[in-house]
Amino acid sequence: TQGMDLSDATVVVTGTSRGIGRALLAAFAAEGATVVGCARDGDALADAVAEAMADTGGSVQGVVADVQSEQAVTELVDAAIEAGDSDAVDVVVANAGVSHGTPGEMPIGDEPYDRFDDTLATNLRGVFAVAKEAHDAMPDSGRLLVPSGSIATDPTEGMGAYAVSKAAVEGLVRQLSVDVAQTAAVVDPGMIESDLSGPGGRDPEDIAPMFVWAASEADADGIDGERVDLRTWKRATRSR
């Protein structure tokens, strides 16, 4: 399937105040896309947007939004449609995620109900809301990408509701892949240095190109409903 030209595309990225989401603002803007990011923290979001614009000279906007609120998600999608040239949303990276506690020290049996509910409300229902609200604004050639990790399929002690939410959201992506025309894929960049997974991972800026590739060059049918990992990306782009 032919790839997508990002130079005219409108890209929505959630959770852009830090980590992967923040790195993706500049990565997509550098390709010429109109990028609309969101986060709950308005100041951190403004910093991220300003930095991405300074780095790329591209079109980057921020919308303060919590993906737990479908009203906020609707407003985010509307802002993206208005921002771009195409009256559509071409790519969505549903990246917003939370983890309450210290990685490795959150055994599932000890998870408080409120913490479990809040984690699932952002990491699963939030992705559902973004996919649902963006769907009507996306062409059939559109792509929805959801970051995940090995934790979704390979249980690790003490990762609690966060691990459960990742397994569940991968199930959501597989369901989307059979129920909607757009491509829906899980992107697993491996261990990333972040507040969610702890220290010792890759720099988000180093793996941002993996998301750009999945959004543009990767074979749409080949990644639909699949989990794209680092090896897949490196194998596909090695010949450069």
Side-chain angles (χ1 to χ4, degrees), residues 33-217:
T34 298
V35 190
V36 179
C38 81
R40 292 180 296 183
D41 182 334
D43 291 342
L45 177 62
D47 283 349
V49 168
E51 185 180 275
M53 287 177 71
D55 287 351
T56 64
S59 171
V60 186
Q61 292 183 26
V63 176
V64 177
D66 183 344
V67 296
Q68 287 194 22
S69 159
E70 52 264 43
Q71 179 63 41
V73 172
T74 304
E75 289 166 7
L76 169 67
V77 172
D78 288 346
I81 292 169
E82 206 167 295
D85 300 326
S86 60
D87 292 331
V89 173
D90 300 288
V91 177
V92 175
V93 184
N95 167 73
V98 296
S99 179
H100 300 298
T102 305
E105 297 176 19
M106 304 179 288
I108 193 67
D110 294 342
E111 280 281 10
Y113 284 107
D114 60 346
R115 205 162 84 169
F116 185 91
D117 290 346
D118 191 73
T119 304
L120 273 287
T122 294
N123 298 5
L124 175 61
R125 191 183 185 280
V127 174
F128 170 68
V130 171
K132 184 175 174 64
E133 297 304 329
H135 175 257
D136 289 342
M138 297 180 81
D140 287 357
S141 59
R143 300 189 184 198
L144 170 76
L145 307 176
V146 181
S148 187
S150 60
I151 195 163
T153 50
D154 184 14
T156 304
E157 273 183 53
M159 291 305 291
Y162 181 73
V164 175
S165 73
K166 286 300 181 183
V169 85
E170 291 201 12
L172 172 63
V173 170
R174 287 192 292 272
Q175 193 60 39
L176 285 164
S177 75
V178 295
D179 280 342
V180 302
Q182 294 84 11
T183 297
V186 169
V187 180
D188 173 11
M191 189 77 163
I192 303 300
E193 182 92 33
S194 75
D195 299 345
L196 301 188
S197 54
R202 294 177 182 79
D203 187 316
E205 288 180 12
D206 292 339
I207 57 86
M210 180 181 180
F211 286 83
V212 172
W213 168 81
S216 56
E217 294 174 49

